[in-house]
Amino acid sequence: MKKILFSLLSFGLSLGLCLTAAAHSYDLNARQVTTFSEIIADLRLVQVVFIGEMHGVAAHHSAQLQVIKALHDGGTQVSIGLEMFRQDGQEALDRWVAGDMDEFEFGGIFLQNWSNWHAYRDIFIFARDKKIPLRGLNIPREIVRQVAREGFDSLSDGQQNLLPLTSCNVSPEYRDFIRRSLQGHADNGSAFEHFCEAQILWDASMAEKVAEYLQQHPQRLVVVLAGNGHSWKHGIDEQLSRIGTYRTRVLLPEVPGRIDLLHIDSDDADYLLQGVELGPLH
């Protein structure tokens, strides 16, 4: 049981292996290769963009930054939603963007929320330099861990009152995705069900924060940076659709054998980022 749970929790933090060296991306809706400029033109028409990542892969963060830069430099009012920061860390994010905190202090606060500051540093520096709002989306890790161990019903009334869900409905599509992604580590027992519930809770809480922000800032396009297991269409995006009607796009980096043209389609994402370098706008 512990080995299964460890594998499941590890999946929640890191999904996949690496990007390929191919220098193109794929439009999963049109079923054809596309260019970076075509992707950016499409993204400018929506309200929320989810860009997945494997947390420790520098190329994924480079791709995220390229998208943010292209949108910002093209005149789009961008905000960035972060799995990497808890919701109660918003004051620190606001101070960072305002220039009221140096990198040493902010880096320490970042490490209280997440890990591997240098993998994300360029994104945060760009946001500070361009005064791009940052929003913390995550919930306390101890709540997620408890649900993963013991299930949603183990939460106290007080804990549940802090959350956007009164129950945890795991769709068949979500179960299938988790089984496919875990490649044999999943089973039909309670550990698997509890892990699915923890992921859904995580997704729903982040979706609620995105919706709240868009209510207050309807002119903004929110770029959400989160792990692939949260960024795909049945993750935060699906939970957001349960709150209201939003125009969204999902971009996932290619992970051979898991997130590639043999394993995902337009039901999972809108674009498959297949290159380490996305290239110039052309």
Side-chain angles (χ1 to χ4, degrees):
M1 178 69 73
K2 288 184 178 179
K3 182 178 291 186
I4 292 173
L5 183 57
F6 177 79
S7 297
L8 295 172
L9 288 171
S10 297
F11 167 76
L13 298 176
S14 173
L15 174 64
L17 301 173
C18 63
L19 284 173
T20 70
H24 59 272
S25 295
Y26 196 83
D27 183 331
L28 292 164
N29 296 299
R31 298 184 181 182
Q32 63 186 24
V33 171
T34 189
T35 66
F36 186 47
S37 58
E38 289 172 331
I39 293 174
I40 295 300
D42 182 41
L43 300 187
R44 289 196 179 107
L45 304 176
V46 304
Q47 297 168 283
V48 188
V49 175
F50 299 97
I51 313 180
E53 63 174 66
M54 178 179 167
H55 303 314
V57 176
H60 294 195
H61 305 303
S62 176
Q64 291 169 335
L65 180 56
Q66 287 182 66
V67 171
I68 292 167
K69 281 183 174 180
L71 289 169
H72 174 271
D73 293 349
T76 301
Q77 296 186 59
V78 179
S79 298
I80 303 172
L82 301 161
E83 179 195 358
M84 303 86 213
F85 253 81
R86 294 189 303 272
Q87 298 163 11
D88 59 11
Q90 190 58 49
E91 181 183 0
L93 291 171
D94 292 342
R95 287 181 58 205
W96 169 257
V97 172
D100 295 337
M101 185 184 299
D102 64 25
E103 184 177 339
F104 180 80
E105 182 181 0
F106 182 75
I109 294 172
F110 178 90
L111 292 175
Q112 294 172 14
N113 284 267
W114 206 247
S115 61
N116 201 0
W117 160 247
H118 288 286
Y120 296 88
R121 179 181 182 275
D122 289 348
I123 294 172
F124 282 94
I125 294 294
F126 184 77
R128 182 198 63 187
D129 292 348
K130 302 300 182 180
K131 303 301 180 187
I132 296 174
L134 299 168
R135 306 301 296 181
L137 304 179
N138 217 329
I139 57 176
R141 187 69 59 92
E142 56 269 19
I143 290 180
V144 177
R145 289 192 178 118
Q146 180 178 333
V147 173
R149 288 194 306 267
E150 304 173 43
F152 185 83
D153 291 341
S154 72
L155 296 176
S156 67
D157 290 342
Q159 288 173 312
Q160 291 193 24
N161 288 339
L162 298 174
L163 302 172
L165 295 175
T166 56
S167 62
C168 207
N169 178 23
V170 182
S171 69
E173 294 86 357
Y174 201 92
R175 286 189 177 89
D176 290 343
F177 173 81
I178 298 297
R179 289 191 182 98
R180 187 168 73 242
S181 300
L182 291 175
Q183 295 185 332
H185 292 288
D187 65 7
N188 293 317
S190 60
F192 177 69
E193 288 300 316
H194 293 167
F195 174 72
C196 289
E197 290 181 351
Q199 291 290 105
I200 293 294
L201 171 61
W202 211 336
D203 293 340
S205 299
M206 290 191 281
E208 181 185 57
K209 282 301 172 183
V210 171
E212 285 180 2
Y213 184 79
L214 285 172
Q215 277 190 321
Q216 298 166 4
H217 307 277
Q219 79 284 8
R220 290 273 174 179
L221 188 160
V222 181
V223 176
V224 176
L225 309 182
N228 291 325
H230 298 298
S231 294
W232 75 303
K233 286 188 178 181
H234 289 290
I236 308 171
D237 190 22
E238 180 177 298
Q239 297 301 318
L240 186 62
S241 72
R242 297 182 183 183
I243 299 172
T245 302
Y246 299 91
R247 300 185 307 277
T248 67
R249 294 291 185 272
V250 171
L251 288 67
L252 296 182
E254 186 174 44
V255 179
R258 296 188 184 184
I259 301 177
D260 56 30
L261 292 177
L262 294 176
H263 294 88
I264 70 168
D265 57 27
S266 59
D267 289 335
D268 305 305
D270 297 296
Y271 295 101
L272 181 66
L273 303 180
Q274 294 178 292
V276 173
E277 299 297 333
L278 296 183
L281 288 170
H282 62 274

